[in-house]
Amino acid sequence: MASSRSRSARRWPIRRSPSLLSASTSQGYDLVIGHGIELSDPILKIAPDFPKVHFAASGGPDLADRLIANVDGWTYDFGQQGYLGGFIAGKLAGVTTFGVVGGPDLPFVKASHNGFKAGLKEGNASATFIETYTGSFDDAQKAAEVTRGMIAQGAGVIWTSGDGIGNGVAAAAGQEGALTIGVTGEAGGFAEKVNIASVVLDMYPTYRAYIDDIKAGTFGKKFFVSGIANKGLVMTEVREVGESLPADLKSQVDALIADLASGKKTLPNFFE
């Protein structure tokens, strides 16, 4: 790896399109990170032509069996992400109907939804939910329309599996007097007012491992799973919004996170 300061400032690109991935391979980078499930196949296709370049691809669990010598893979524990949201939802007093809003109907998105429903039922066996996949990670308008429809059907809390659709979920919930779980970012200021908590992705542990492995000469064919235990998934602060939060909710969430991190509590495989 080059040691000059001018090169080191650009040695770790994160690419979100196949065309940019191809361009990076000829620009002297040591590590090219393709963050997005749509980039795993392009990376696996071009990586053999550039054996001295290290590539990192994200995807579902199936990616683990397709890795090659200069490609590492990454995913996160989708079931944990959903389960933690469902656990919080199940603890809310007086809420019996919940909305579940997702993007595309993909296996890893469905795994997150399955985790949410399991956590919800564990906390509130009588809870009901209305579930919709919008078909897009980024169509905030469609997500807002879906959210309004769910609230009209009696949903008091809306959980979303994330990405740009969260903006629409938070905006609609704020306008209609509902609460949310799972919205990331401030969503135009609405999230601060309506979002109870979210499970967010921290890529530092995984990216740090890539760099350490390159330095150690051990990079390649490794599959990383970001979860609670390695701090790749992090629960945000539980906000005191609305009147349905129990006083000890934060302590219950902290206890669950500790049990998941230690392995005291294990979850089933939520992939169908």
Side-chain angles (χ1 to χ4, degrees):
M1 294 181 286
S3 59
S4 69
R5 181 172 296 181
S6 61
R7 263 196 80 195
S8 65
R10 61 176 182 82
R11 279 166 54 203
W12 316 110
I14 301 174
R15 297 309 191 194
R16 295 184 180 273
S17 77
S19 60
L20 288 176
L21 282 172
S22 298
S24 300
T25 59
S26 60
Q27 296 178 16
Y29 294 108
D30 300 305
L31 171 63
V32 177
I33 299 172
H35 191 150
I37 192 169
E38 72 279 7
L39 298 178
S40 58
D41 286 339
I43 284 176
L44 291 169
K45 181 178 180 179
I46 68 174
D49 296 330
F50 301 90
K52 293 183 179 181
V53 178
H54 307 84
F55 294 87
S58 60
D62 62 300
L63 180 61
D65 297 327
R66 299 191 288 142
L67 299 174
I68 58 178
N70 61 331
V71 179
D72 269 356
W74 161 80
T75 192
Y76 70 91
D77 194 322
F78 302 100
Q80 278 189 350
Q81 181 247 3
Y83 182 88
L84 283 164
F87 177 85
I88 291 174
K91 298 297 181 179
L92 303 181
V95 184
T96 58
T97 303
F98 298 82
V100 179
V101 181
D105 186 3
L106 296 174
F108 71 91
V109 179
K110 292 172 69 175
S112 181
H113 286 222
N114 290 339
F116 173 83
K117 289 179 276 190
L120 174 63
K121 288 296 185 180
E122 186 170 314
N124 183 355
S126 62
T128 60
F129 59 86
I130 308 164
E131 182 177 25
T132 299
Y133 292 92
T134 65
S136 168
F137 287 120
D138 302 311
D139 191 340
Q141 181 175 350
K142 177 68 176 295
E145 293 171 358
V146 166
T147 298
R148 292 190 186 96
M150 291 177 172
I151 295 170
Q153 295 177 67
V157 174
I158 311 296
W159 174 80
T160 176
S161 48
D163 274 324
I165 58 173
N167 294 333
V169 171
Q175 293 163 353
E176 302 295 334
L179 298 177
T180 67
I181 300 171
V183 173
T184 55
E186 289 309 309
F190 282 109
E192 186 175 354
K193 300 176 182 178
V194 302
N195 196 63
I196 298 169
S198 302
V199 180
V200 297
L201 180 64
D202 185 348
M203 287 307 303
Y204 179 81
T206 300
Y207 288 179
R208 180 74 256 176
Y210 293 153
I211 296 171
D212 290 344
D213 285 352
I214 291 172
K215 290 179 178 179
T218 58
F219 185 96
K221 299 189 74 170
K222 290 183 178 177
F223 192 65
F224 296 83
V225 179
S226 293
I228 295 298
N230 59 18
K231 300 185 187 304
L233 288 178
V234 180
M235 174 70 77
T236 65
E237 180 181 359
V238 176
R239 287 194 177 109
E240 295 182 4
V241 294
E243 301 177 355
S244 57
L245 277 66
D248 63 343
L249 179 60
K250 184 180 184 303
S251 62
Q252 291 188 62
V253 171
D254 289 344
L256 173 59
I257 289 172
D259 287 348
L260 290 171
S262 68
K264 181 178 179 180
K265 183 175 183 63
T266 58
L267 301 178
N269 179 8
F270 290 116
F271 277 83
E272 296 178 347

